[in-house]
Amino acid sequence: MDTNVAVVPPGPGSRTRRSGVALTSTAWRSLAQLGLREWVEHGRRLGVVGRAAGWWIGDWLRYGNDRFGERYARASRITGYDAQTLMNMVYVASHFEPSERREALSWSHHAEVAGLEPQERKRLLAFAESERLSVRCLREEVRRARSLDSPQKPARSTPELVCPECGYTLAPAPAPQQTLAAAR
């Protein structure tokens, strides 16, 4: 299927007699018996629409923001999405030019890495694509990469106890494991 062609389902409550399918804002229904090939083709189209919607709306709103100024409240009324969701779509769309977007990965995969440096985004998306990672697994990879990049925090030590009367410093109590080891 050519994914460069816009696949747009009919409006709410409409039917597509040619395909024998009814689409509404809340349902997909077969109006006739579909063969396996027809059923598969409908699934492919729905997959393209589902994976592309975040990009389409993000790019649409970026255009509107550039041309008309921020209009999240208006865009929310137009699309039915809440303003925060629209802001997220714009954020992700603005971090990936269309040529950088990977068709094999979902918008959500891209959202997981949008806040990273461009080279790290590219590396993690390539890894996610080659390993066929779920969004959850990619999120774990992002966390792992961030933890490797951040300096290690020193282990918390028991605070020293100082006598307010004489200034004598008490040695911290040994950890429970040390106490058990010493008892053996």
Side-chain angles (χ1 to χ4, degrees), residues 28-158:
W28 177 97
R29 284 192 335 226
S30 175
L31 301 174
Q33 292 286 45
L34 300 177
L36 178 61
R37 179 175 285 167
E38 295 166 307
W39 177 78
V40 167
E41 188 57 32
H42 280 282
R44 284 190 178 124
R45 285 187 190 128
L46 293 171
V48 168
V49 170
R51 286 186 306 277
W55 295 120
W56 293 343
I57 293 170
D59 290 339
W60 168 78
L61 195 47
R62 280 178 68 197
Y63 174 86
N65 285 347
D66 290 345
R67 178 102 163 85
F68 310 112
E70 281 192 25
R71 304 278 188 219
Y72 289 104
R74 175 184 244 176
S76 180
R77 287 190 304 273
I78 292 168
T79 64
Y81 286 95
D82 65 77
Q84 185 60 55
T85 299
L86 293 172
M87 287 181 214
N88 293 346
M89 290 174 172
V90 168
Y91 178 81
V92 174
S94 68
H95 281 75
F96 296 94
E97 290 302 317
S99 62
E100 298 173 308
R101 300 170 186 175
R102 294 177 177 260
E103 288 187 22
L105 298 175
S106 69
W107 180 89
S108 296
H109 282 92
H110 291 78
E112 288 297 327
V113 299
L116 302 175
E117 293 296 320
Q119 289 296 28
E120 186 66 1
R121 287 194 308 246
K122 187 175 182 179
R123 183 188 74 75
L124 284 168
L125 289 177
F127 180 69
E129 187 173 11
S130 69
E131 297 298 315
R132 301 184 68 153
L133 296 182
S134 67
V135 174
R136 185 179 59 98
C137 289
L138 177 58
R139 184 178 305 127
E140 291 170 7
E141 285 298 320
V142 169
R143 284 185 186 140
R144 187 170 313 152
R146 283 184 175 159
S147 69
L148 292 175
D149 288 345
S150 66
Q152 295 293 335
K153 294 179 183 176
R156 287 181 55 183
S157 61
T158 306

